Structure formats: C-alpha cells, structure tokens
Amino acid sequence: MRTLIVTEFITLDGVVDSPGGGEHPRAGWTFKEVPFVEEAYELKGSEQTEAGAMLIGRQSYDEFAPIWPKMDEFAEYNAMPKYVVSSTLSDPEWNNTRVLRSLDEVAELKRGDEEGTILVHGSPTLAKGLAAAGLVDRYHLLQFPVVLGEGKRLFDGNEQGGLKLVEHEVYSNGVTKLVYDVTR
C-alpha cells in the first residue's frame, strides 16, 4: 500500500491558509514575515524527488495549475501523475492530471501498485477529509513562528489515530520541521 503524506506550511496556531499568497489578509506569511533560510526548505525538495504522485483539491488545482508548469523548480511535480479530488472539474489541462470523484477513489489509489508516496500539497479541506477517513499515513509540517489567529486550519479534531514524532529539526529563523507518522 502506498503512503499518503500531507505536507503543509503551518503557523504556531495551526493555520495553513495562504502561506505563499492568496486571500488571507496576511497572505504570503512564509516569506513576508520570516527570514528565508535555505535549509528549512530541504524537506520540500526531497518530497518532490521521492513522491510518486501528487494529490490536491480543486482550489489548490486552480491555484497551482496556471503557475507550477512554468516553474523549473517544480519539474518533478509537473512530470508526475497528479490527482485532483473534485466533483466539478471535468477536463484538467495540467499535464498528467486525472480527476477523482471521491475519497473511495483515493483509497483505491493508495491500494494501487504504482511506486512512490502520494503527496497532498495545500488543500486543507481535502486533508481534513482524508484524515477523518483514516487515509493519512504521515504529516510533513514546516511550522513557522507566526500567529495568524484566523484562517483555514489543518486539524479540526475529526482526525483518526494519534501522531508519533519521527523527525524534527529547528532552523535559525525559528521554522521547525515536524514529521509525524499517524498511529492507529
């Protein structure tokens, strides 16, 4: 069975809304409010090279698809299979993208015999649904020393299983890498 990993930029108060841009009043908080330290982002590079597929929700698809294909730093993501969980998207234009209509189809994808992990980027609503359905195996969190007070959150208390910290590191800018396995 393939491992499903949710990867997020997250604030101290659990907000994952608009880390690089978007509609939140403090959108872009990852680079506007915290100094850049290259090694804090090494996790993102290793995720891209190790993943076998990317899974996202419709809103993240709408945000990523017009931009990521033009960015050299996302070459692996652009080449790999991408899956969008959506009830409304019918003809995705992003290379190698397929639409899944339900979490049951995500469970089938996990049971498939393809290689590599399935990486969920952004998509907090999807991540919550996956967690509530018991489909998340691991979390990769880069926690930023920022408090936003409001915005979309990753956890809402409906997640299944506990968390076991398996890797962590603190960087000079206060960002903390937290890797948790879900225990059932």
Side-chain angles (χ1 to χ4, degrees):
M1 183 171 291
R2 298 172 81 181
T3 300
L4 192 144
I5 300 170
V6 171
T7 182
E8 297 282 356
F9 296 117
I10 191 166
T11 65
L12 285 173
D13 58 341
V15 175
V16 295
D17 200 343
S18 306
E23 297 181 10
H24 191 280
R26 287 171 55 193
W29 47 267
T30 57
F31 61 89
K32 290 179 179 176
E33 300 189 28
V34 178
F36 178 78
V37 173
E38 187 172 342
E39 58 268 18
Y41 294 88
E42 288 175 0
L43 177 64
K44 295 299 173 188
S46 65
E47 287 173 344
Q48 189 174 176
T49 58
E50 295 169 8
M54 184 168 60
L55 177 67
I56 55 179
R58 174 63 188 265
Q59 184 175 347
S60 292
Y61 173 82
D62 288 344
E63 292 173 10
F64 296 169
I67 299 167
W68 283 25
K70 300 171 189 165
M71 300 176 73
D72 292 339
E73 60 263 37
F74 295 130
E76 287 92 352
Y77 286 134
N78 291 321
M80 76 175 57
K82 290 167 283 300
Y83 299 89
V84 181
V85 179
S86 173
S87 61
T88 57
L89 183 64
S90 59
D91 190 23
E93 295 180 16
W94 196 357
N95 173 49
N96 207 8
T97 299
R98 185 175 138 212
V99 177
L100 303 178
R101 298 289 182 207
S102 68
L103 294 182
D104 289 337
E105 289 185 63
V106 174
E108 286 178 38
L109 180 65
K110 278 189 69 170
R111 288 190 296 269
D113 51 2
E114 291 88 357
E115 295 291 319
T117 61
I118 302 168
L119 198 60
V120 180
H121 258 291
S123 306
T125 303
L126 173 60
K128 286 180 188 183
L130 294 166
L135 295 172
V136 176
D137 300 301
R138 178 173 271 195
Y139 290 94
H140 288 180
L141 306 177
L142 285 180
Q143 186 180 55
F144 284 70
V146 173
V147 175
L148 296 179
E150 62 182 10
K152 295 176 186 172
R153 297 180 186 279
L154 179 58
F155 301 109
D156 63 10
N158 292 315
E159 297 76 21
Q160 291 188 15
L163 299 176
K164 178 183 177 186
L165 182 66
V166 295
E167 188 179 341
H168 69 288
E169 191 166 349
V170 179
Y171 303 99
S172 62
N173 62 353
V175 171
T176 304
K177 174 176 72 175
L178 301 165
V179 177
Y180 291 100
D181 280 343
V182 176
T183 58
R184 294 183 177 81

